[in-house]
Amino acid sequence: MRIGGFQKFSLIDYPGKICAVVFTQGCNFRCSYCHNPALVDRRLFQKTIPASEIISFLERRKGALEAATVTGGEPLLQEGVFPFLESVKKLGYLVKLDTNGSFPERLERIVKEKLADYIAMDVKTSLEKYAGVSGVDVNRENIKKSIDIIMCSGLDYQFRTTIGKSFLNFEDIKHICGLIKGARAYVLQKFVPVRGPEGCFSPDGAEYGEAEIRQFQELAVGLIRE
């Protein structure tokens, strides 16, 4: 598995748990607002970290850490994600998986083999705008399948959407809420412009104000719970 980064300690990446964070290298999306371009653009790839080093560290930190979050990039792009997660679970850790939802068959395997305890999926925008926001031709049925898999998994989970004026509006949020109606957790993330290499992501999307963000939140709560 290509591991491009490793954070040994985090209090925010697994809700309510002290965790380590593994960043996989490579992604099949090219979202305009990506905050991890070094894990997406091959021109920026750094030397990978052997999975064995991560496992050895986690073995030494048993009792001090509770969980491991595997993020990216897109972890399910990696064929080696299954044995890696199995090794982490064998150490007794809780596992949180972050995904863009484009690999429902692999996600279903993760659920069936009990290789994750928490799944966080980014829902980028309304389905009809997915290609424009993700920067690639997306199989929209795969996004819907992944949502269904997660909501029926019995696991802890959350869906997440980043909000920026250049790629998302109130109608998009209404559409997303229809896709995830009844979801346990839906997180709205404010777009934060960050400069990066041309062609990987753009810093030009305008931000919504705090009052507008609250309107998005109120809209989402009402639609998901009704």
Side-chain angles (χ1 to χ4, degrees), residues 12 35 52 76 91 126 143-144 146 168 171 176 183 192 200 216 226:
I12 62 173
H35 272 219
S52 58
L76 296 186
L91 292 175
S126 55
I143 302 302
K144 292 198 291 185
S146 291
L168 190 130
E171 291 303 314
I176 293 169
V192 179
C200 185
F216 276 110
E226 71 177 20

Side-chain angles (χ1 to χ4, degrees), residues 14-188:
Y14 193 124
K17 304 295 180 183
I18 302 171
C19 75
V21 187
V22 178
F23 297 88
T24 63
Q25 201 174 71
C27 186
N28 57 324
F29 282 9
R30 293 294 182 272
C31 302
S32 62
Y33 51 85
C34 179
H35 272 219
N36 288 324
L39 299 171
V40 175
D41 189 336
R42 290 184 176 275
R43 298 170 297 176
L44 301 177
F45 283 2
Q46 302 294 315
K47 183 179 179 181
T48 57
I49 303 169
S52 58
E53 288 188 13
I54 306 295
I55 297 301
S56 294
F57 173 83
L58 293 176
E59 189 165 18
R60 295 194 303 271
R61 297 296 290 167
K62 284 195 296 185
L65 294 173
E66 301 172 90
T69 293
V70 181
T71 186
E74 171 51 48
L76 296 186
L77 191 64
Q78 309 279 337
E79 291 293 341
V81 70
F82 302 106
F84 179 78
L85 294 181
E86 185 176 5
S87 295
V88 175
K89 290 294 294 179
K90 283 182 178 178
L91 292 175
Y93 284 93
L94 296 170
V95 169
K96 175 173 170 279
L97 175 73
D98 292 350
T99 182
N100 62 26
S102 61
F103 296 98
E105 291 81 10
R106 295 180 183 183
L107 181 60
E108 189 167 33
R109 178 179 169 184
I110 295 288
V111 172
K112 286 184 176 180
E113 297 185 10
K114 299 181 180 180
L115 298 178
D117 304 278
Y118 195 114
I119 299 173
M121 176 179 163
D122 292 310
V123 184
K124 305 295 183 178
T125 185
S126 55
L127 291 179
E128 66 179 14
K129 291 173 61 174
Y130 238 83
V133 173
S134 67
V136 297
D137 186 15
V138 178
N139 184 329
R140 295 178 291 183
E141 288 301 313
N142 283 345
I143 302 302
K144 292 198 291 185
K145 287 178 183 177
S146 291
I147 290 171
D148 290 340
I149 289 167
I150 291 169
M151 292 185 69
C152 295
S153 67
L155 302 175
D156 287 332
Y157 67 83
Q158 67 175 229
F159 297 107
R160 308 181 296 207
T161 300
T162 298
I163 302 174
K165 283 188 176 180
S166 65
F167 51 85
L168 190 130
N169 58 37
F170 285 94
E171 291 303 314
D172 297 319
I173 289 293
K174 289 179 182 178
H175 181 88
I176 293 169
C177 290
L179 294 174
I180 63 171
K181 192 175 182 62
R184 297 179 189 172
Y186 182 37
V187 178
L188 300 180

